[in-house]
Amino acid sequence: GAKKKAACPGLGLFYTILSAFLFSVASLFLKKIEDVHSVEVSAFRCVFQMAFVLPGLIYYKTGFLGPKGKRIFLFFRGFLGSTAMVLLYYAYQVMPLADATVITFTSPVFTSLLAWIFLKEKYSLWDVLFTLFAVTGVILIARPPFLFGSHVAGIEGSYSDHLKGTIAAIASTLSAASTIVILRKVGKSVHYFLSIWYYAVIGLIGCVIALFVLNEWRLPHCGRDRVFLILIGLLGLGGQIFLTKALQIEKAGPVSIMRTMDVVFAFILQVLFLNHIPTWWTVGGALCVVASSSGTAIRKWRHSVKKAKQREI
């Protein structure tokens, strides 16, 4: 039969841009929250995820634990994914929004490296080059004093907080990359909703334990902060939904490239609503990271297209 034509050409890329915008606005609201720990914000986000996923699990009859042979992978997917979220939220709170966002976009590069180590996927000289570009971008954003001197411009608060935020953002990126590798290992044998369920449940348990250990659990005093918490949960959920829909109707390569709009939105929102002008070091680091992640995405995309043509032959 004749192939179905797309209902709306470019709809997948539009969903990707919309997803990037929702994630960026959620990050902006996180910066605006004044008296809530990043772990508590993550706990609220997990509650929203659970409320969304639970009806799906019941409808698709997936169960709550998943296949026996896959549970250990699902556990680490949930643990690493929720850890990435907590660390990223901490980075957003203690360093400029654009800086933290840029560092997270080194994830495709680290994913390729980890996939080479654990899944024996191909790792070429191009991948090495993209990794060096990503590391250069992170160095330009972190601006360590032994390279840039003791007076570092364009940071929020003290350099100590900036450095902690940078380390948290890098650790978040590595955790997110590890999560993607685990999801590749699991493949399509586990339903998408079940994967999010583990992420939300393990994340919520971990956040609650951490909050009691840190003695940081408190309801926000200001009504505005409570509204921001709800909006962060809704916007994060909306961003995930639109990103998932984009990947369902569009190839992963163009979606990965278009996701770099996150960086553009982060720069715009930081200037407009946080009155923080990025330095040229941050812009240079962003260009290095975007070039690195885009190059990695394009190579993966071309490789998948080439394999698809070989199968047709």
Side-chain angles (χ1 to χ4, degrees), residues 61-82:
K61 300 178 181 178
T62 61
F64 295 96
L65 296 178
K68 284 187 177 180
K70 305 295 181 180
R71 290 174 187 173
I72 185 66
F73 294 111
L74 287 169
F75 171 80
F76 280 109
R77 179 268 183 273
F79 176 75
L80 291 169
S82 56

Side-chain angles (χ1 to χ4, degrees), residues 31 56 74 82 120 130 133 156 158 179 182 188 206 227 241 246 274 289:
K31 293 286 291 183
L74 287 169
S82 56
K120 308 302 179 185
F130 294 144
F133 260 89
E156 290 181 0
S158 66
T179 300
I182 290 172
K188 296 181 180 180
V227 172
I241 291 172
L274 300 176
V289 171

Side-chain angles (χ1 to χ4, degrees), residues 187-246:
K188 296 181 180 180
S189 60
V190 175
H191 197 279
Y192 175 74
F193 276 138
L194 192 60
S195 175
I196 299 179
W197 175 253
Y198 267 81
Y199 166 82
V201 171
I202 293 175
L204 180 60
I205 294 171
C207 287
V208 170
I209 294 172
L211 286 169
F212 279 104
V213 171
L214 297 171
N215 196 27
E216 289 285 351
W217 174 259
R218 64 174 69 89
L219 284 175
H221 302 295
C222 177
R224 189 187 70 164
D225 282 352
R226 297 180 186 182
V227 172
F228 283 158
L229 279 174
I230 295 172
L231 289 175
I232 288 168
L234 292 175
L235 290 169
L237 184 57
Q240 274 203 335
I241 291 172
F242 281 113
L243 182 58
T244 303
K245 288 179 71 67

